[in-house]
Amino acid sequence: MMQDQTHDILAHNQSAWDKQAASNCAWSQPVSARTIAEARAGLWSVPLTSGTLPAHWLGDVQGQRILCLASAGGQQGPVLAAAGAQVTVFDASQGQLEQDRMVAARDGLSLATVQGDMRDLSAFEDAAFDIIFHPISNHYVPDVRPVWREAFRILRPGGRLLASFYNPVIFVEDRDPALAAQGLIRPAHTIPYADTRDLAPDRLQAKMEAGEALVFGHSLTDLIAGQIAAGFLIAGFQEDPAPTPRFTIDRYLPTFLATLALKP
């Protein structure tokens, strides 16, 4: 993909998420003051998938330097900050980051926000973080491998990357509503998938004009083996069902995947 096309995708998706933040979508609804108070008292959790996160994946976050990567929206970052972590939230969308800033100001939290592209973390020095928390979001970039390489660089030795992503099988099926109504799955796309390549031109144009984010279905090789190629050791794996099935395949297998990766 040409560099200017990559920039156009980033700019489009940034605008799409600013729009979602303004509309108060599910991932743009800041946590309540009560949730922050409970986190300060030691009662907290943050979602990586739809299931319960194994306790040892995050462990005691008190004093830990945590990067919430492509994870703005006023949800995970403020809770981790209230639990005692030194939190930086990094996201492409200023609208999403504003939700984190709002919670921090409302509840007196110390929390930094940085806008940027998840594939370019040059804003941070090597070994700047102890933990990276990266919930489902890397399907918004055409190539996930730079995300893993940058995450490895900015983690300290012994640091952890907690990442979640879609099982790429969800990108294979035809989205014809008539098929979905019958519970039928008709394969229409190969993996890796890209809206910019695999959608019919009229459907792609309609999606962009509606301000919807462009998505990309990465292969399991890039999603999991890509972490290993970047230098990580995979120490944990979890599958969970979609909380609200959107695709027919969601009814038949868990389509939310998560990994715990360690930097040696």
Side-chain angles (χ1 to χ4, degrees):
M1 181 170 294
M2 296 174 60
Q3 186 174 357
D4 59 342
Q5 291 176 305
T6 300
H7 173 77
D8 288 346
I9 290 166
L10 173 65
H12 175 84
N13 282 353
Q14 177 183 335
S15 176
W17 271 100
D18 285 346
K19 179 180 177 181
Q20 292 216 48
S23 67
N24 202 35
C25 79
W27 292 106
S28 302
Q29 297 176 13
V31 295
S32 67
R34 177 177 178 178
T35 296
I36 295 300
E38 290 174 345
R40 281 181 162 134
L43 302 173
W44 62 273
S45 65
V46 286
L48 189 62
T49 66
S50 60
T52 301
L53 185 67
H56 71 279
W57 282 28
L58 270 174
D60 182 4
V61 301
Q62 184 73 35
Q64 295 291 295
R65 300 168 300 165
I66 299 181
L67 177 66
C68 290
L69 178 58
S71 177
Q75 298 180 358
Q76 296 97 354
V79 169
L80 291 167
Q86 301 174 37
V87 174
T88 301
V89 182
F90 184 95
D91 203 278
S93 166
Q94 281 288 7
Q96 285 286 88
L97 289 167
E98 183 56 36
Q99 304 291 56
D100 293 273
R101 290 191 284 264
M102 184 278 289
V103 177
R106 183 193 69 197
D107 298 316
L109 298 171
S110 177
L111 180 150
T113 59
V114 179
Q115 183 183 25
D117 182 343
M118 70 180 86
R119 297 163 296 179
D120 177 8
L121 302 180
S122 56
F124 308 116
E125 297 179 353
D126 294 358
F129 296 98
D130 303 301
I131 298 171
I132 297 176
F133 191 83
H134 179 48
I136 294 177
S137 58
N138 58 42
H139 58 288
Y140 295 116
V141 294
D143 186 359
V144 71
R145 291 169 295 178
V147 179
W148 305 141
R149 291 194 293 265
E150 281 287 84
F152 188 85
R153 179 184 65 79
I154 65 172
L155 276 173
R156 65 165 173 81
R160 286 169 282 163
L161 166 67
L162 285 69
S164 60
F165 33 84
Y166 288 115
N167 187 319
V169 72
I170 70 167
F171 296 98
V172 169
E173 68 180 77
D174 191 320
R175 301 293 161 76
D176 185 343
L179 291 171
Q182 300 175 71
L184 298 177
I185 299 171
R186 180 171 65 194
H189 309 293
T190 57
I191 300 299
Y193 167 87
D195 272 353
T196 50
R197 182 191 63 236
D198 295 309
L199 283 183
D202 58 332
R203 291 182 65 188
L204 176 61
Q205 184 66 25
K207 185 171 188 177
M208 295 187 70
E209 289 179 355
E212 299 177 24
L214 299 174
V215 300
F216 303 85
H218 307 298
S219 68
L220 288 174
T221 296
D222 284 348
L223 289 167
I224 298 178
Q227 294 184 55
I228 297 171
F232 285 107
L233 303 176
I234 303 298
F237 179 80
Q238 182 164 322
E239 294 180 288
D240 287 300
T244 304
R246 293 186 297 159
F247 314 115
T248 305
I249 195 67
D250 284 326
R251 307 176 198 170
Y252 298 97
L253 80 164
T255 50
F256 280 20
L257 309 181
T259 52
L260 169 64
L262 307 180
K263 179 174 179 175

